[in-house]
Amino acid sequence: MVDNNTVDNNTVDKKKFIVSHAPFWHDGSRISLRNYNIALAALPAILLGIIYYGIPAVGVISLSISSAIIWEFVFCRIAKRSNTIGDGSAAIIGMLFGMLLPAIAPWWLVIIGTFVAVIIGKQIYGGIGANPFNPVVVAIAILMISWKDIFDFNEALMNYDLDFVMVYPLAALKHFGVSAVDSFSMGDLLMGKQSGGIGSTFGLGLIAGGIYLIIRGIIRWEISLSFLAGIIITALIFNLTDPVRYAGPVIHLFAGYTLIGAFFLATEDSSSPVNFIPMLIYGAVAGFMTVLIRNIGVYIDGVIFAILIMNLVSPLLDKIRPKAIGKVA
Amino acid sequence: MREIIKMIVVLTVLSAFSGGLLAAVRGGTMEKIEYQQLVFVKGPAIRNILEGCSNDPIVDRFKIKDGDIERSFFVGVFDGKADTVTFESFGKGFGGDIGLMVGVNINDDKIIGMGVTTHSETPGIGSKAKTDPKFSNQFKGLSAVEPCKVKPDGGEIDAMSGATVTSKGVCVGVTEAGNIYKRLKPQIAEKMKEFK
Amino acid sequence: MAKTITQEFVKGLWDEIPPFRLVLGLCPTLAVTKSVENGLGMGVAVVFVLVCSNMLVSLLRNIIPSKVRIACFIIIIATFVIVVELVMQAYAYPLFLTLGIFIPLIVVNCIVLGRAEAFAYKNGVVRSIVDGFGMGIGFTISLTALGAVREVFGSGTFFGISVFGPSFQPFTFMIEAPGAFVCLGLMLCMMNLAGNK
Amino acid sequence: MGDYVLLAISCILVNNILLAQYLGCCPFLGTSKKMETAVGMGMAVIFVLVMAGAITWLIEAYLLKPFGLEYLRTIAFILVIASLVQFVEMFLKKSIPALYKGLGIFLPLITTNCAVMGVCLININEEYTFIQSLVTSFSYAAGFGLALVLFAGVRERILLARVPKPLEDTAIGLVTAGMLALAFFAFKGMA
Amino acid sequence: MIKRSFIGLSKPRLKYRSLEDTPSLKQIPTSKEVTLLSNCPFDKKKLLFKKKVAVKTGQKLLLYKESDEYVVSSVTGKVSSISSYTGDFGRSYTAIAIEVADDEEIDDEFKSAAGGSKDATLETVKNYLAFAPGNPPVKLLSDKDKPINTIVVCCADSDLLTTTNQYIIKSDIDAIKNGISILKTITGVNDIIMIASQSQMHEVSATGEKVNQVNDTYPSALPHLIMKDILGKVVPAGKSPEDIGVCFISAEAVASIGNAFNSGLIPATKIFTLVKKDGSKSLVSARIGTPASDIFKAFNITLNENDRIIFGGPMTGLSVYSEDHPVQPDTGAIIVQDKDDIPVISDYPCTNCGGCIRVCPANIQINLLVRFLEAGLYEEAADQYDLYSCIECGLCSYVCVSGMPIFQYIKSAKYELGRANTAEATNG
């Protein structure tokens, strides 16, 4: 982007210099760097998923990443736009999408899912930064209401015989009440000893990744923390009113998509607010909605729809903003 | 002034035309509509109750005046004998009235079947009253002249899990059906003779 | 530039096909297209109302005072809507049940009122009938097409007949409300791509 | 009281008139490009729908039903709504000009807003009592307004996005409305 | 260049450079030809003098008829060309090139007009010192429509890397004292506020004036932020400090005024920082109008294709087309950037990461503002998204992950809007 100002005859020089506008410094941050960091942060959770679920998990994750990239490539070709694979955002979408799937997800599901995420969720809105909803969340929500069985982790992962109880804690909670999840200790949950998506069960890994991203300033800590706070407080309130039916915060915090939602999904840049107070509201209400859906809604896990609802509200929330300097009235 | 009169005249004529046309269409289709409604709303329940009957119960129907209300009765012919009758009654459920059809054998006053026709209960919970045969089959063989109750209230019916209100509502409806039956039995018996 | 009768008919099929080109009458379009059959049924009902109301409006266009024309249109349209409602109840009750309140709601369907106001009130009887028929057929085609797409992907059937065989796991999203919106949006996109007017 | 609250929640969120019952799509797409028009339309619908709901209920209960004229419901309701809108418009213009300024341009659009007619018919079909009808009329309208405002918020955002040409405007609006409907699935089973 | 730190949670901390010791000053010998740039648009017909006119050092050259714009020659010689120079957004300037003669003659018009320090008047300052180093804001001080009641003397430098003010505080505090007393007399304003960084506090206090300390993090020394944080007065959006009676003047300009009356000569030497490609900095003194190429020659700097020359600081300066661009009275620094160090500007859209919102000192919703600016909707941007609240610090562009030229968008939007408004006003 060079200014096309004309140069006066007297001052024409043989050498051409780069002329652009201030500032002449940049802090060196790049979209691709951000995305590689997100991938790095997600790595521990994915690795543990692969260790537990083996080759099928590798298949799902790699198919998911590659098909997402291919969809992005195909779209850019068809729409005659410059290729945007390099920024890594399609890869991140594919990776997060794969992390949420059960290891036995069939190939066609992965491909449809990444199509929905990349094309419907992101590209038709004009690509990176313009999507009003988190593409991954949109894709998972659409697939979840279409193919419930595949997302029923209990049924889906029946064939696995690992060294822990293959039970999806939230499903057990929903169907049989709090007593059914007594057997889960916090340590087990943190170590991923529960059934669930490939990359969404290893609590410790996700927390570590999340903290890394927060420290690097890549995700907004306000959203993650207020999301978790919203979950804890709401779960606690429900738990206090009826401890037999409603589980306490521990299960809600470490089971299902909570942690991956807090650190990787709710924090997606373009679908979340950027001002301080809106970020807090966004996270807290998303947490509240999550527990509400889990406890009284029809879905087993509420993270996906809670985030989707808050994505929807986010443009309105962002209208709450500090007064600009010198703004009159 | 002329214009206003014209407007009024046009509107009136149009309305009259519309009213006339509609009344005519209404008159022409009324019978048919009633039959269709019976076939598609109550038909499935009736057929379910009168499973195996040899006639078309929707055609073989009669009406009896019960106070201000006119009630329809559908006759089921088994083995050449018209001795079963089904009719509608209502119970109060969680989300409003529950409409149900009850079939009674007029020889032994026993209920031969019950089916829910209309309801606005919670999908997946109360709505099982209509879809879950385990629940509705419990009513088979009960006496039509005795009140019907769920087990907690001292009756014989197992309430559906999580839908006690709906279960109770259905029982109230069945009891109400028994009352209607008791009240109108003489007339029913009289009419039934025509189908023999 | 006067159009020929054929042109009046054809425009409703492509150039001004509702609801794609004229973004009108979306509610029934979205609501009743869970299956081809419903879409077709709704389309036929609309054709009938559209043709009759266009005919009557154009017949009476010299008598109806312009100040109360909208009221007159509404009376005429509502009359035919009720006729459809009654006839459908009498002869196609299951369809009536699935289409539900969308049959009476034809009365507020912008297409019907729109054609009465924009075309029939200004044109002769034959033209108006042709226009109504064309628009109605166009509407029916749209509904049927949308219904077909949604039914084929959403339930794996076409007119209730299985298309992909038993191993197909239907993309249920398509027959849910969000699917209706997304599907219509994407079809609109296809239309825009196809007809670069 | 609790029943009414549940009914209201159900009408606003779970069975949102627009996103679950597909009623009122035309004004939904038409008036959602700007936040101000969305708010105006939402207010106008709430205003008219509550009145229409009450009046049509009374007409059904005291005019159509006693005389066995239920089959004339469609024509009766549409005429009532059309004249109500006219009347409201005239009344506002004369007595509350400020409100008229805000709602005025939206009022004529409401006649052909099938959400209004639809809710009146739903009230009758579901056999709601008068109070229930009022509650549902208000809540459905509020749900309509809520969806409209949320949609306008999102739409203002995507207005400036680099949307591909064939998808511009209505097409992308419809897809976004689909996402909106998807998000409202969150409330399933809550009332 | 300062890169983002590993821990990205906190805001980027761009520290102002602080001069610990008085560095040595490298004098650049007088060039063969100097160029004086005036903000006045070039208009051949109204020119008051022609080519070949002889000028003396310190001579005031009125440019156009019916205008009081002038430049002050920094050398003795002959005008070799008068031409138009096109700057940012196509604005036109007048460039006067002077061929330097061998012998230097000093013009004495100022000396006779001004007299000594005691005889200083606002009129003299206005008529002779607008082109002095530091660009004393003479117009603002003498504007009758906007009376000034407070004068803020900036002893800290407002952009990164520049150290001119600091150097002058260290080397020439007496000139500043003199300048301040002149300012007080000629304007009648007694409310003088000195703004100094922590390291300067001691030296600046010696002037005996009220001193306020400014934070050492960019952009706290920008006028709008000084107004808000130190003076406690918020400048309304779209206005400047002088609109509410505050006039900002740099220490350099104060020293220029002081020196001018002391010596009877309009100062013509400019002190600035030269930043070489490797980042090493030198303090340079050169005549106003010296072409940059002469300075590069003195420091053995060679420039290659696609490098960049920046006049001013890295955040608010201007990049130029030619090596011959002259040193101007307000040039605080000349920075040479190697082509490999130039950050890439992309046409990627905003990803809504919120980085700019975190750093914006003016609380502007930049993520939305920039969407409107990109689409060219300047009116909406101004009405709804606080375009005019921008204090032009450039931090948003500095942190932008997408590499959007946000700052440029804002400046051009303000320029376009301003032009549209003027057109409207003139058309009625």
Side-chain angles (χ1 to χ4, degrees):
Chain A
M1 185 154 298
V2 176
D3 274 0
N4 54 352
N5 294 349
T6 50
V7 183
D8 195 77
N9 288 339
N10 289 349
T11 52
V12 164
D13 198 78
K14 274 166 264 164
K15 286 174 202 159
K16 278 204 188 99
F17 299 117
I18 296 290
V19 177
S20 64
H21 213 283
F24 304 101
W25 278 359
H26 192 266
D27 67 0
S29 56
R30 280 204 305 277
I31 300 172
S32 48
L33 276 178
R34 280 172 81 89
N35 284 334
Y36 298 148
N37 273 304
I38 294 176
L40 189 68
L43 213 54
I46 296 180
L47 283 179
L48 195 81
I50 288 173
I51 290 171
Y52 280 158
Y53 301 113
I55 298 299
V58 179
V60 169
I61 293 272
S62 48
L63 178 66
S64 170
I65 296 178
S66 54
S67 61
I69 293 177
I70 290 171
W71 284 125
E72 173 122 332
F73 178 74
V74 168
F75 185 89
C76 289
R77 264 299 161 84
I78 293 176
K80 299 191 183 69
R81 294 185 170 204
S82 56
N83 202 337
T84 49
I85 295 173
D87 64 29
S89 107
I92 290 296
I93 290 178
M95 185 194 73
L96 289 176
F97 179 72
M99 285 168 78
L100 298 173
L101 292 178
I104 52 91
W107 60 269
W108 51 265
L109 181 94
V110 179
I111 290 181
I112 294 177
T114 49
F115 172 82
V116 173
V118 173
I119 307 284
I120 312 268
K122 188 182 94 170
Q123 284 297 354
I124 63 168
Y125 287 100
I128 190 165
N131 49 304
F133 305 95
N134 184 337
V136 179
V137 169
V138 166
I140 290 286
I142 288 179
L143 298 195
M144 221 150 80
I145 59 173
S146 294
W147 294 288
K148 294 186 187 71
D149 303 346
I150 296 173
F151 285 88
D152 182 346
F153 294 110
N154 278 340
E155 211 170 295
L157 301 174
M158 217 148 53
N159 293 333
Y160 276 95
D161 190 16
L162 298 171
D163 59 345
F164 52 85
V165 199
M166 278 314 275
V167 170
Y168 186 38
L170 291 177
L173 178 66
K174 187 118 198 163
H175 300 315
F176 307 108
V178 172
S179 53
V181 289
D182 281 345
S183 57
F184 287 101
S185 75
M186 192 168 138
D188 285 352
L189 289 172
L190 277 174
M191 286 312 295
K193 296 192 173 182
Q194 51 170 324
S195 130
I198 297 170
S200 61
T201 54
F202 183 27
L204 216 55
L206 290 168
I207 293 173
I211 291 174
Y212 172 76
L213 290 178
I214 287 177
I215 289 177
R216 293 299 314 267
I218 287 169
I219 59 174
R220 296 167 222 155
W221 62 268
E222 295 92 336
I223 293 176
S224 299
L225 294 192
S226 59
F227 182 77
L228 296 177
I231 289 206
I232 294 173
I233 293 168
T234 319
L236 212 58
I237 293 172
F238 267 102
N239 185 236
L240 290 179
T241 54
D242 190 348
V244 181
R245 267 176 76 193
Y246 302 123
V250 172
I251 282 285
H252 282 296
L253 216 46
F254 301 121
Y257 290 154
T258 309
L259 289 172
I260 195 171
F263 294 116
F264 291 89
L265 299 179
T267 53
E268 201 256 351
D269 282 333
S270 106
S271 54
S272 53
V274 289
N275 290 320
F276 183 69
I277 293 171
M279 283 195 281
L280 294 184
I281 300 177
Y282 171 90
V285 179
F288 166 76
M289 281 298 299
T290 299
V291 178
L292 201 65
I293 295 172
R294 283 178 182 177
N295 281 348
I296 63 172
V298 294
Y299 301 101
I300 288 171
D301 195 352
V303 172
I304 295 296
F305 282 104
I307 293 178
L308 204 53
I309 277 282
M310 291 320 286
N311 282 171
L312 187 61
V313 189
S314 135
L316 287 189
L317 284 180
D318 243 353
K319 296 207 183 261
I320 309 170
R321 53 183 159 137
K323 210 176 114 201
I325 287 194
K327 190 182 165 92
V328 196
Chain B
M1 197 57 204
R2 254 182 68 94
E3 207 183 341
I4 293 177
I5 291 173
K6 190 183 169 193
M7 282 200 280
I8 292 169
V9 169
V10 170
L11 277 178
T12 319
V13 170
L14 255 182
S15 310
F17 161 77
S18 151
L21 179 68
L22 292 180
V25 176
R26 164 81 174 161
T29 52
M30 201 151 76
E31 290 259 311
K32 191 84 182 150
I33 291 173
E34 199 180 342
Y35 176 74
Q36 291 271 351
Q37 275 174 347
L38 293 177
V39 171
F40 289 101
V41 179
K42 293 166 193 163
I46 296 171
R47 280 213 198 85
N48 215 355
I49 294 165
L50 299 179
E51 211 178 347
C53 68
S54 54
N55 64 331
D56 181 356
I58 313 233
V59 176
D60 294 337
R61 63 178 196 267
F62 57 85
K63 285 182 179 169
I64 296 173
K65 272 220 175 277
D66 180 18
D68 293 340
I69 315 160
E70 201 170 52
R71 296 188 188 278
S72 291
F73 294 82
F74 305 90
V75 181
V77 180
F78 290 94
D79 306 328
K81 277 187 277 179
D83 51 4
T84 316
V85 69
T86 57
F87 53 95
E88 191 167 31
S89 79
F90 291 97
K92 188 91 184 126
F94 189 70
D97 280 347
I98 304 171
L100 38 90
M101 294 301 284
V102 178
V104 182
N105 188 318
I106 53 168
N107 294 332
D108 55 6
D109 297 346
K110 288 241 163 80
I111 295 176
I112 65 151
M114 186 284 301
V116 173
T117 51
T118 57
H119 69 89
S120 41
E121 302 304 289
T122 321
I125 302 169
S127 70
K128 276 194 232 151
K130 184 171 180 173
T131 49
D132 190 0
K134 254 191 227 157
F135 176 71
S136 50
N137 283 345
Q138 295 181 71
F139 293 90
K140 269 189 193 164
L142 295 183
S143 168
V145 288
E146 308 265 327
C148 164
K149 279 176 186 167
V150 286
K151 274 188 181 155
D153 294 350
E156 309 173 22
I157 304 296
D158 278 321
M160 291 173 292
S161 61
T164 325
V165 180
T166 313
S167 309
K168 277 184 190 172
V170 172
C171 289
V172 171
V174 173
T175 311
E176 173 63 23
N179 293 340
I180 296 171
Y181 177 71
K182 271 190 273 181
R183 204 157 54 230
L184 301 178
K185 196 179 173 190
Q187 283 129 295
I188 295 174
E190 190 66 28
K191 292 262 187 184
M192 291 291 272
K193 282 177 191 149
E194 297 168 21
F195 294 98
K196 276 182 179 166
Chain C
M1 216 174 58
K3 284 179 175 164
T4 64
I5 297 281
T6 335
Q7 278 171 329
E8 293 290 6
F9 178 71
V10 171
K11 72 166 190 248
L13 301 187
W14 183 253
D15 285 356
E16 295 177 24
I17 183 168
F20 289 121
R21 293 271 192 247
L22 319 166
V23 188
L24 293 173
L26 287 179
C27 313
T29 313
L30 292 165
V32 304
T33 49
K34 279 189 185 181
S35 69
V36 199
E37 201 186 340
N38 291 354
L40 200 59
M42 186 70 190
V44 171
V46 171
V47 170
F48 174 76
V49 175
L50 205 46
V51 170
C52 294
S53 68
N54 257 14
M55 181 186 73
L56 205 61
V57 166
S58 120
L59 269 178
L60 302 177
R61 71 178 195 276
N62 295 325
I63 309 168
I64 297 173
S66 66
K67 271 190 186 162
V68 287
R69 65 178 193 285
I70 300 289
C72 294
F73 297 162
I74 288 178
I75 293 177
I76 292 171
I77 294 166
T79 310
F80 289 113
V81 168
I82 297 176
V83 170
V84 168
E85 207 179 337
L86 291 173
V87 170
M88 200 174 255
Q89 278 188 65
Y91 297 99
Y93 199 76
L95 191 61
F96 174 79
L97 283 184
T98 43
L99 296 183
I101 64 169
F102 288 94
I103 291 293
L105 283 178
I106 295 176
V107 85
V108 283
N109 190 326
C110 324
I111 296 175
V112 184
L113 196 63
R115 288 332 283 179
E117 162 82 10
F119 196 91
Y121 195 60
K122 295 170 189 151
N123 285 286
V125 181
V126 181
R127 270 174 186 277
S128 300
I129 291 175
V130 170
D131 174 77
F133 196 61
M135 284 289 163
I137 296 288
F139 188 69
T140 314
I141 291 174
S142 309
L143 254 61
T144 316
L146 188 61
V149 172
R150 289 181 66 194
E151 190 183 335
V152 166
F153 290 108
S155 341
T157 58
F158 185 69
F159 276 110
I161 302 155
S162 172
V163 182
F164 297 111
S167 64
F168 178 74
Q169 303 209 32
F171 191 21
T172 328
F173 169 72
M174 292 294 246
I175 51 172
E176 303 272 8
F181 284 103
V182 173
C183 202
L184 185 63
L186 294 182
M187 280 183 80
L188 196 59
C189 164
M190 297 293 169
M191 290 283 293
N192 289 342
L193 272 178
N196 306 310
K197 279 209 298 179
Chain D
M1 195 56 213
D3 286 354
Y4 290 127
V5 172
L6 269 185
L7 187 65
I9 292 176
S10 149
C11 295
I12 296 176
L13 300 175
V14 186
N15 294 319
N16 188 286
I17 187 85
L18 202 73
L19 301 171
Q21 319 220 21
Y22 315 91
L23 292 173
C25 298
C26 297
F28 179 57
L29 287 167
T31 58
S32 54
K33 281 190 190 157
K34 281 214 166 128
M35 186 55 82
E36 294 144 44
T37 50
V39 172
M41 186 69 187
M43 298 303 250
V45 168
I46 292 178
F47 194 75
V48 171
L49 190 44
V50 172
M51 293 173 79
I55 295 178
T56 51
W57 191 92
L58 293 174
I59 287 188
E60 171 77 16
Y62 294 105
L63 210 64
L64 299 180
K65 225 171 190 170
F67 296 101
L69 293 172
E70 284 105 328
Y71 68 98
L72 289 179
R73 197 182 289 147
T74 311
I75 195 165
F77 281 14
I78 186 68
L79 288 176
V80 165
I81 292 168
S83 39
L84 177 75
V85 169
Q86 282 280 317
F87 174 75
V88 167
E89 200 179 346
M90 283 185 329
F91 174 78
L92 283 187
K93 206 172 187 173
K94 277 207 177 131
S95 40
I96 322 175
L99 193 59
Y100 177 76
K101 241 184 176 174
L103 306 185
I105 45 168
F106 304 108
L107 284 172
L109 286 175
I110 289 180
T111 315
T112 51
N113 183 344
C114 42
V116 177
M117 178 88 174
V119 169
C120 297
L121 290 173
I122 289 173
N123 284 344
I124 304 303
N125 281 351
E126 299 285 325
E127 293 170 4
Y128 286 134
T129 64
F130 185 67
I131 302 293
Q132 279 175 325
S133 292
L134 280 184
V135 172
T136 55
S137 301
F138 176 79
S139 329
Y140 274 130
F144 179 84
L146 176 72
L148 195 59
V149 168
L150 288 176
F151 189 50
V154 175
R155 223 168 165 197
E156 275 187 343
R157 274 287 170 93
I158 60 175
L159 197 66
L160 296 171
R162 304 170 184 184
V163 176
K165 195 111 192 95
L167 274 154
E168 267 171 6
D169 215 20
T170 315
I172 195 79
L174 279 167
V175 175
T176 313
M179 302 296 158
L180 210 69
L182 186 65
F184 268 65
F185 267 47
F187 302 109
K188 271 205 167 173
M190 286 201 187
Chain E
M1 194 182 325
I2 298 166
K3 293 277 184 192
R4 191 168 201 271
S5 65
F6 180 82
I7 297 173
L9 194 57
S10 56
K11 293 180 182 183
R13 292 183 73 80
L14 297 170
K15 295 255 184 173
Y16 284 111
R17 213 178 129 207
S18 126
L19 279 185
E20 294 306 333
D21 312 303
T22 316
S24 61
L25 194 63
K26 169 124 182 170
Q27 302 274 353
I28 304 287
T30 311
S31 308
K32 291 207 178 75
E33 187 180 74
V34 299
T35 310
L36 306 173
L37 281 181
S38 162
N39 286 337
C40 231
F42 180 66
D43 184 354
K44 203 166 187 177
K45 284 171 210 151
K46 289 187 177 168
L47 263 180
L48 282 174
F49 55 92
K50 291 211 170 97
K51 269 196 211 176
K52 312 279 183 196
V53 168
V55 291
K56 294 179 195 165
T57 306
Q59 183 180 346
K60 171 182 167 186
L61 295 169
L62 269 175
L63 288 173
Y64 296 113
K65 286 175 209 159
E66 301 146 25
S67 158
D68 51 3
E69 289 292 332
Y70 60 88
V71 294
V72 174
S73 175
S74 57
V75 290
T76 311
K78 265 190 296 190
V79 174
S80 58
S81 81
I82 307 160
S83 59
S84 166
Y85 171 80
T86 316
D88 262 15
F89 310 119
R91 265 178 287 209
S92 162
Y93 301 89
T94 309
I96 299 128
I98 299 168
E99 213 179 285
V100 182
D102 295 337
D103 300 314
E104 181 149 31
E105 284 180 70
I106 308 289
D107 184 76
D108 54 7
E109 190 190 336
F110 175 70
K111 194 169 193 173
S112 53
S117 298
K118 300 234 163 61
D119 313 315
T121 62
L122 193 52
E123 199 64 14
T124 350
V125 172
K126 190 187 166 196
N127 282 339
Y128 291 96
L129 294 181
F131 208 69
N135 273 108
V138 293
K139 277 196 183 147
L140 303 180
L141 287 171
S142 55
D143 190 342
K144 299 227 162 39
D145 297 335
K146 291 172 187 167
I148 300 295
N149 45 41
T150 307
I151 293 175
V152 176
V153 179
C154 252
C155 303
D157 294 281
S158 67
D159 203 341
L160 300 161
L161 298 186
T162 55
T163 47
T164 312
N165 286 338
Q166 294 181 56
Y167 177 78
I168 285 170
I169 293 288
K170 283 192 191 298
S171 63
D172 209 358
I173 194 83
D174 292 334
I176 292 187
K177 273 189 204 162
N178 191 22
I180 289 175
S181 70
I182 293 171
L183 272 179
K184 278 188 188 165
T185 354
I186 62 175
T187 57
V189 174
N190 279 320
D191 190 9
I192 304 266
I193 296 170
M194 310 287 284
I195 300 293
S197 65
Q198 198 194 352
S199 60
Q200 294 175 304
M201 285 303 279
H202 179 71
E203 289 147 328
V204 176
S205 308
T207 57
E209 301 296 335
K210 202 175 359 166
V211 187
N212 283 302
Q213 189 185 325
V214 70
N215 197 332
D216 63 347
T217 324
Y218 184 80
S220 34
L222 288 182
H224 281 82
L225 287 182
I226 291 177
M227 290 291 289
K228 175 173 153 263
D229 297 337
I230 298 177
L231 274 67
K233 295 177 185 171
V234 175
V235 184
K239 302 266 181 181
S240 11
E242 57 269 17
D243 291 325
I244 53 173
V246 181
C247 181
F248 276 75
I249 182 167
S250 65
E252 187 188 15
V254 175
S256 293
I257 295 174
N259 276 330
F261 283 96
N262 238 353
S263 61
L265 178 72
I266 306 174
T269 322
K270 171 73 192 164
I271 293 164
F272 58 92
T273 313
L274 176 73
V275 183
K276 283 171 256 178
K277 282 186 190 175
D278 59 1
S280 61
K281 300 157 193 95
S282 324
L283 210 58
V284 182
S285 152
R287 302 266 176 137
I288 291 171
T290 308
S293 50
D294 283 354
I295 296 155
F296 299 152
K297 225 177 277 164
F299 282 91
N300 286 326
I301 297 172
T302 41
L303 277 114
N304 304 318
E305 193 90 342
N306 294 334
D307 287 351
R308 182 152 67 186
I309 307 167
I310 299 154
F311 273 62
M315 301 305 279
T316 58
L318 283 172
S319 56
V320 297
Y321 300 95
S322 149
E323 271 185 289
D324 295 329
H325 199 89
V327 173
Q328 284 169 267
D330 60 349
T331 301
I334 295 180
I335 303 171
V336 186
Q337 250 183 342
D338 190 80
K339 64 170 183 287
D340 297 331
D341 292 338
I342 297 176
V344 182
I345 291 172
S346 77
D347 60 347
Y348 247 77
C350 168
T351 64
N352 212 39
C353 71
C356 46
I357 308 248
R358 257 174 223 277
V359 297
C360 181
N363 289 337
I364 300 174
Q365 184 96 26
I366 303 169
N367 63 331
L368 295 180
L369 172 70
V370 77
R371 282 156 211 249
F372 283 83
L373 297 182
E374 252 189 325
L377 301 169
Y378 300 141
E379 298 276 347
E380 284 87 342
D383 291 347
Q384 296 165 33
Y385 296 101
D386 308 316
L387 174 66
Y388 281 116
S389 292
C390 176
I391 60 165
E392 311 196 350
C393 66
L395 278 175
C396 46
S397 296
Y398 173 75
V399 299
C400 184
V401 172
S402 290
M404 296 179 93
I406 307 175
F407 187 32
Q408 181 180 356
Y409 283 145
I410 291 177
K411 274 204 156 179
S412 63
K414 283 183 176 177
Y415 176 70
E416 291 293 332
L417 272 182
R419 231 171 42 159
N421 289 343
T422 337
E424 222 163 79
T426 42
N427 292 341

